[in-house]
Amino acid sequence: MTTLIESEEHKALREAVASFAKSHPETQGLWQAAAKLGYIGVNLPEAYGGGGGGITELCLVLEELGAAGNPLLMMIVSPAICGTVITRFGTEAQKQEWLPALADGSRLMAFGITEPDAGSNSHRITTTARRDSATGDWLLTGRKVFVSGVDIADATLIVGRTEDARTGSLKPSLFIVPRDAPGFTHRRINMELHSVEKQFELVLDDVRLPAEALVGDEDAGLLQLFAGLNPERIMTAAFAIGMGRYALSRAVEYARDRSVWKTPIGAHQAIAHPLAQAHIELELARLMMQKAAHLYDAGDDTGAGEAANMAKYAAGEACVKAVDQAVHTLGGNGLTTEFKIAKLITASRVARIAPVSREMILNYVSHQTLGLPKSY
């Protein structure tokens, strides 16, 4: 029942975040303000300055920020992906250095996995790390694209590949790369997307890293990688649901107040029913998101993987539909800057595309859940 009915503690957290978000309409300074109240690090261990909660609490926070029109994209990256990976697999020194700072918002960490030629196929990642036998350092070389917030992050958690000494094959590994590391450069990618967080292409040209830059066990790469990717999908669902709720609330308010021929347009079923349907689909997506978060926090990585993919798919579809219907409800006003929903037309598509496309999720479900053969 925990996945169906929120606890009183979670209800109180939701109400507190909603109230906070509404009182902070500007995104500038929002990160620090939220961190000061413990929202940014709510999922990180108490021993390292966090709230001691899990992805369940963190996705609740992001959803409510989004529902107020102030989503913080870097919450998906810094505390959810990077904070989780370091918590589960980092050394004590890495935990001491990063977790308190990620929790209090004084430092941020970006995440780099996507490459120009690899796309959704993580097995084709060409960023490689090799050891300098003389010093024990790592030398990291490669490129990454669509990396959020590199300009404001103190470091980037980079997915590279190291050579297995036994088989000679390449396996994924995770490295913390400081922003000022020699050979590490970034270039902004111009996007048709209105967001505080910018997107970047990274170039790593023999970036020298100390041995302790490696996160976790060199031989447990996939396990460690998916420990970060499942929270990423769950948090993306929260991001999408919050955005959809915000668009829907603006449309409902408009439909209630806007009158034509002395009747509010929301009284007409042609307006009311699509909005009701959008609300239902957002609520259904939220249930799957909550299930995925609970499974992840319970340590069921396999169950969480399936649910996280389904939640991300459902939330992306519901978000796009809610935004589209909201704009359509407002008509021409829906395309003006005054009502602040036209910009979501592009933003809502992000939830369908990133961090994994809906088509790849359908592949996952058809292969992993239904047991159908692969076409690739």
Side-chain angles (χ1 to χ4, degrees), residues 50-277:
I55 295 300
T56 299
E57 288 76 20
L58 192 65
C59 69
L60 185 156
V61 171
L62 181 58
E63 181 195 337
E64 287 305 320
L65 289 172
N70 292 314
L72 292 174
L73 177 64
M74 288 302 288
M75 283 187 66
I76 300 174
V77 181
S78 194
I81 301 175
C82 302
T84 296
V85 168
I86 292 172
T87 296
R88 288 186 61 173
F89 303 107
T91 64
E92 183 59 31
Q94 288 169 341
K95 292 176 184 178
Q96 292 285 357
E97 178 181 1
W98 285 102
L99 295 182
L102 295 181
D104 68 18
S106 59
R107 301 177 83 183
L108 285 89
M109 189 177 285
F111 179 66
I113 181 171
T114 303
E115 295 187 358
D117 299 321
S120 297
N121 186 356
S122 58
H123 298 289
R124 288 189 60 192
I125 287 176
T126 58
T127 297
T128 55
R130 67 185 192 278
R131 279 194 184 275
D132 183 332
S133 57
T135 64
D137 291 348
W138 291 100
L139 292 170
L140 200 58
T141 298
R143 291 173 63 203
K144 299 292 180 182
V145 289
F146 301 118
V147 183
S148 303
V150 176
D151 58 328
I152 57 175
D154 297 88
T156 303
L157 186 64
I158 294 288
V159 180
R161 301 179 79 186
T162 57
E163 185 176 350
D164 191 313
R166 294 165 298 178
T167 66
S169 60
L170 294 176
K171 56 194 176 183
S173 297
L174 301 164
F175 298 88
I176 298 175
V177 181
R179 182 173 57 187
D180 59 357
F184 180 61
T185 58
H186 61 271
R187 179 187 64 83
R188 181 175 167 184
I189 302 172
N190 293 322
M191 306 286 290
E192 287 286 346
L193 181 67
H194 298 281
S195 174
V196 175
E197 301 87 357
K198 309 307 178 187
Q199 300 295 311
F200 293 89
E201 176 184 7
L202 310 182
V203 175
L204 301 103
D205 185 10
D206 270 352
V207 176
R208 182 174 291 273
L209 302 170
E212 54 268 25
L214 176 71
V215 178
D217 188 340
E218 189 183 341
D219 293 317
L222 276 177
L223 172 65
Q224 294 161 179
L225 178 57
F226 281 99
L229 295 187
N230 284 336
E232 182 183 35
R233 284 155 172 72
I234 297 168
M235 289 291 286
T236 301
F239 184 83
I241 292 166
M243 191 190 312
R245 284 179 53 198
Y246 173 77
L248 186 61
S249 68
R250 300 305 303 268
V252 168
E253 181 183 14
Y254 187 86
R256 189 185 295 122
D257 297 339
R258 170 74 166 164
S259 292
V260 178
W261 294 296
K262 300 182 181 180
T263 304
I265 61 172
H268 301 295
Q269 291 178 352
I271 298 293
H273 284 186
L275 295 176
Q277 188 176 14

